[in-house]
Amino acid sequence: MAHAWSGMRGIAPVPTYVVMQPTTLCNLDCAYCYLPFRAADKRMPVEVARAVAASVEGWARESRFSVVWHGGEPLAAGREHLAALLAPFGPGVEHHVQTNATLIDDAWCEFFRAHDMRVSVSVDGPEARNGDRVTRGGRPAYDRIVRGIEALRRHDIPFSALCVVSDPRPGAATELYDYFLGLGCDVLGINVEEQEGVNTRANSHAAADVRAFWAELVTAWRADPRIHLREIEWTLRYVAAVLDDTADALLPRQLDPIPTVAYDGSVVLLSPELAGFSNPRYGDFTSGNVLNRPLADILAGAAVTPWIGEFLRGVESCRATCPYFGFCGGAHAANRYFEHGRFDTTETDHCRNSKIRLLEGVLDHARDHEPSAV
Ligand code: SF4
């Protein structure tokens, strides 16, 4: 009953993490990348980091708080500059970096350890599945990615992995899961490729293929669940909560605002993928700039940003119409915009691939196995 869901109403005044863009530059040129300025090296000035650090200090004292350094390729900012950006943050703030791994060497490993930085690498599975990942000169990037991961392993630095799947279908899931077991990551996130930003490739797939992909992934994971598998574990938690009649309590009560602070201090809320884009109707999607307004004030005024009001209406439409709302919470603003050109719509290819088919695939797995399996 879609109307019963009470989570995800409005936007929380305090985020659980902030995304920071130390540089727009990326040294790779992946075919599916959504970033508009990845060929330009626009670096974040230290004043931007100082302004953000001043705002998050109080939040980090109250509860766990993270800064996620996400580019471009954050390591392309260089160790010295990244250290200068990290310096204003107090010891209570956790730092994470999302990297393509190609620049990781011994010196970067020492840097991660010195700054207690959690590392997540982007790699799409075995070499043949990394064809979209190329250097600026168009050469395959896989060997460089693997060299970076080998450096992490040499230094015993734990890492997560993020895998983009462009063509989810039966057969792929087992191969991928086996690969990541061998890679040595602790946590794996699977992102079905999304049509967003400057990536206009269609991401519509046959429902049966996507569903079978997710079902197969559960089977592979259950055979050897050494890795935390983000999407599958979340889905199983939801299914267990439905069985316990506690599912309505699972979604956060309010949307996490996920402020993304671009290199120049401008702030885009809810969907990092909107940063750097503009539209005659919505403007540049920003809600303010930390150089002239504290982040807490920007968050307090979030709902007056024109596109955000429209998105919140879209979330209410999802609540009213979609039986998957309690699992999904309305998904991401950027997918609505880049697929439909507006925010008050409901279904997207993204939510079909990564929410609806995911839940259906996990349930298919449960049906195909003993009832006590889930
Ligand atoms: S985004 Fe899609 S799956 Fe999620 S609640 Fe809305 S329509 Fe349902």
Side-chain angles (χ1 to χ4, degrees):
M1 295 202 302
H3 66 271
W5 304 113
S6 62
M8 297 303 202
R9 278 195 200 281
I11 299 174
V14 175
T16 57
Y17 65 102
V18 59
V19 180
M20 302 275 283
Q21 184 180 44
T23 174
T24 53
L25 180 69
C26 186
N27 58 327
L28 298 188
D29 195 18
C30 302
Y32 53 61
C33 182
Y34 61 85
L35 291 164
F37 304 124
R38 61 187 192 267
D41 188 7
K42 298 182 188 179
R43 292 195 186 186
M44 176 178 277
V46 174
E47 301 80 69
V48 170
R50 274 196 214 109
V52 175
S55 286
V56 308
E57 200 181 311
W59 298 333
R61 266 199 306 272
E62 296 299 315
S63 60
R64 190 174 169 191
F65 194 89
S66 301
V67 173
V68 180
W69 299 90
H70 199 319
E73 165 51 46
L75 306 194
R79 273 185 297 283
E80 204 178 313
H81 190 58
L82 198 54
L85 296 174
L86 287 161
F89 291 92
V93 175
E94 270 181 27
H95 292 281
H96 299 246
V97 64
Q98 181 63 47
T99 173
N100 63 33
T102 56
L103 300 172
I104 299 177
D105 57 12
D106 292 340
W108 271 112
C109 290
E110 282 153 22
F111 180 97
F112 297 145
R113 205 172 277 299
H115 293 88
D116 198 16
M117 234 175 170
R118 280 99 167 138
V119 182
S120 174
V121 300
S122 309
V123 56
D124 297 343
E127 182 166 9
R129 292 194 175 274
N130 283 264
D132 284 330
R133 318 237 22 225
V134 292
T135 64
R136 299 232 138 255
R139 297 236 280 279
Y142 182 75
D143 286 351
R144 297 182 194 198
I145 296 170
V146 169
R147 270 204 301 277
I149 293 171
E150 282 168 356
L152 292 172
R153 293 180 60 158
R154 229 175 18 251
H155 285 259
D156 278 330
I157 294 181
F159 61 96
S160 306
L162 198 55
C163 169
V164 172
V165 178
S166 297
D167 189 14
R169 58 175 61 245
T174 306
E175 181 196 0
L176 285 174
Y177 189 73
D178 286 350
Y179 173 86
F180 285 101
L181 272 177
L183 196 69
C185 57
D186 295 335
V187 182
L188 172 62
I190 300 281
N191 284 357
V192 177
E193 183 181 333
E194 298 168 37
Q195 183 187 336
E196 59 187 4
V198 294
N199 178 21
T200 55
R201 303 199 309 197
N203 63 347
S204 172
H205 305 283
D209 283 348
V210 184
R211 209 168 152 154
F213 169 83
W214 290 118
E216 183 186 307
L217 192 60
V218 189
T219 306
W221 176 73
R222 288 192 65 227
D224 192 351
R226 264 181 292 155
I227 299 177
H228 285 292
L229 192 45
R230 189 182 63 181
E231 286 72 21
I232 299 305
E233 290 182 45
W234 164 252
T235 310
L236 292 175
R237 266 183 72 199
Y238 175 75
V239 172
V242 168
L243 295 174
D244 290 345
D245 206 18
T246 57
D248 185 44
L250 212 57
L251 286 178
R253 300 300 87 193
Q254 292 179 300
L255 287 149
D256 192 320
I258 316 176
T260 293
V261 183
Y263 75 96
D264 61 356
S266 57
V267 178
V268 170
L269 302 179
L270 297 166
S271 271
E273 300 84 358
L274 292 168
F277 288 88
S278 64
N279 169 295
R281 183 157 170 225
Y282 304 111
D284 64 4
F285 302 103
T286 63
S287 295
N289 190 305
V290 295
L291 291 178
N292 50 42
R293 204 169 153 211
L295 189 52
D297 284 5
I298 294 172
L299 293 172
V304 302
T305 306
W307 72 266
I308 291 180
E310 188 177 295
F311 172 64
L312 292 177
R313 287 196 295 282
V315 172
E316 290 313 306
S317 296
C318 280
R319 189 194 310 280
T321 60
C322 180
Y324 297 85
F325 184 84
F327 171 65
C328 161
H332 305 298
N335 300 106
R336 295 171 195 242
Y337 174 70
F338 288 115
E339 288 193 33
H340 298 309
R342 52 188 304 130
F343 295 93
D344 52 3
T345 57
T346 55
E347 265 194 55
T348 59
D349 280 328
H350 165 70
C351 79
R352 280 187 278 271
N353 292 333
S354 303
K355 305 287 182 182
I356 296 172
R357 308 297 174 232
L358 165 61
L359 182 54
E360 289 173 345
V362 170
L363 294 175
D364 287 346
H365 169 90
R367 271 185 218 103
D368 290 347
H369 295 74
E370 69 276 20
S372 60
V374 206

